Amino acid sequence: MTTSAQVETPRRRRGRNERLATTSSRFTRALGVIALLMGASALLLALVISPPEVTQGDAVRLFYLHVPLAVAGGYLGVGLLAVGSIGYLWKRTTFWDLLAASAAELALIFTALTLLTGSLWGRPVWGTYWEWDPRLTLTAVLFVLLIGYRAMRTASVDPQLRARRSAVIGLLAAADVPLIRMSVDWWRGLHQTATLNPLNPSLDGMMLFTFFWSMVSFAVLFLWLLVHRFRVAWLEEQLADRALDEAIAQRRAEAPQTP
Amino acid sequence: MSDVGFVAVGYGVTAVALAGYAWRVLARGRRLSALVPQERRRWM
């Protein structure tokens, strides 16, 4: 006996098709809601609840934005770019290439925002928007390398060549991150040293909590964006494959038939 | 510009940039999903 649940009516089929016609899933919807709630609470903490700093005043609120952006872009984004690049050079599969490309795009956006928010924070605190300080300069180099990575992905036509060359640039960008991390210890500059030392935290109370909450919020947001961006990249790949299949079929059809 | 002004510009630009990017990615995903056959839409 056929129940109504088993019958696929045109309406049900259309509904299922519409549900699938998106890069969302139950997981990403849940993650998106969590990211939204965490982001809203991080904003409340950073802009309203946490107190102004003794010397920096309200400018310290940019710290809760600038550092999480830098960590998400530099460590998560470029870290995953490195993982994807190594994975591709080792396994030569599309998955790793698309993971690297998706992470690189997000790393580029987060690094751009890191430079912007750092500049906005620097003006009231240091008295200048920009200084050729080692950390700032190396972060700018990372930004340029990520633009190079993006340019490589749009410039090359051959997918394998593109993936191979992109992976090499991705690894170059990744090599810059430890230099950024250590630059404040190795060279003298304007930028402060590491904000948090686990053995001797210089922040406490509400400021420390706000900082950690912002870090986790940006990490969740990054993950949510990454999953969607990866799925878009996957769809682009499927379309490119289909276009190639159709072009080959067309050429075969046009070729003269041998008796 | 006061400290609050720098804070407002920083948070405002970041929010607009990230929301705009998220919107663009979701919209592109929706558009491409409609073009790719259903059996090839899933990624894992």
Side-chain angles (χ1 to χ4, degrees):
Chain A
M1 194 175 119
T2 309
T3 64
S4 61
Q6 290 167 318
V7 175
E8 184 165 82
T9 62
R11 191 176 165 186
R12 275 209 181 107
R13 192 164 47 244
R14 200 167 51 247
R16 188 163 60 91
N17 206 32
E18 277 168 10
R19 274 199 309 280
L20 284 171
T22 161
T23 48
S24 292
S25 59
R26 196 174 291 174
F27 167 69
T28 57
R29 277 192 290 274
L31 199 63
V33 170
I34 292 169
L36 204 62
L37 293 175
M38 287 190 77
S41 52
L43 268 180
L44 189 69
L45 282 165
L47 297 179
V48 181
I49 297 174
S50 73
E53 208 251 355
V54 179
T55 51
Q56 294 187 30
D58 279 318
V60 77
R61 299 186 194 285
L62 282 164
F63 161 72
Y64 307 120
L65 180 66
H66 171 70
V67 181
L69 278 169
V71 169
Y75 294 141
L76 275 178
V78 181
L80 283 168
L81 165 63
V83 168
S85 298
I86 292 169
Y88 179 77
L89 292 174
W90 182 27
K91 297 279 187 186
R92 305 279 164 148
T93 58
T94 308
F95 170 84
W96 294 109
D97 179 44
L98 297 184
L99 174 68
S102 307
E105 187 172 294
L106 282 169
L108 176 63
I109 291 166
F110 277 66
T111 304
L113 290 171
T114 302
L115 288 169
L116 178 83
T117 53
S119 188
L120 287 167
W121 190 20
R123 183 70 183 86
V125 175
W126 294 339
T128 178
Y129 285 106
W130 183 262
E131 186 73 38
W132 291 103
D133 163 276
R135 177 167 274 191
L136 271 63
T137 307
L138 286 167
T139 308
V141 168
L142 175 66
F143 180 65
V144 171
L145 283 167
L146 290 169
I147 288 178
Y149 183 94
R150 178 109 185 111
M152 175 54 69
R153 295 210 67 92
T154 49
S156 300
V157 177
D158 177 9
Q160 268 129 33
L161 189 66
R162 180 186 68 195
R164 205 165 54 242
R165 287 181 175 171
S166 302
V168 173
I169 298 178
L171 289 176
L172 273 177
D176 189 37
V177 173
L179 293 178
I180 295 174
R181 171 72 184 81
M182 298 309 295
S183 61
V184 288
D185 297 326
W186 288 347
W187 300 293
R188 199 175 297 169
L190 197 55
H191 201 284
Q192 69 197 61
T193 51
T195 304
L196 280 187
N197 177 351
L199 297 175
N200 181 24
S202 54
L203 291 173
D204 54 11
M206 187 50 75
M207 293 176 92
L208 186 65
F209 178 72
T210 304
F211 174 66
F212 274 117
W213 192 254
S214 298
M215 293 274 270
V216 177
S217 304
F218 271 94
V220 172
L221 175 67
F222 184 94
L223 187 63
W224 179 74
L225 284 170
L226 181 73
V227 174
H228 279 288
R229 184 61 189 90
F230 176 86
R231 289 174 178 180
V232 167
W234 178 269
L235 291 170
E236 286 167 344
E237 193 71 15
Q238 298 301 310
L239 274 179
D241 281 355
R242 202 176 68 169
L244 185 66
D245 290 346
E246 284 170 4
I248 291 170
Q250 194 179 354
R251 288 294 294 273
R252 281 196 178 135
E254 284 167 6
Q257 300 292 317
T258 50
Chain B
M1 191 158 52
S2 66
D3 287 2
V4 174
F6 286 109
V7 171
V9 172
Y11 277 85
V13 171
T14 303
V16 168
L18 291 179
Y21 178 74
W23 178 265
R24 187 173 157 268
V25 169
L26 291 177
R28 185 160 173 73
R30 194 162 293 166
R31 203 168 56 245
L32 292 180
S33 293
L35 299 174
V36 174
Q38 202 170 300
E39 67 279 3
R40 296 178 78 174
R41 271 183 214 160
R42 292 291 112 169
W43 25 83
M44 303 262 186

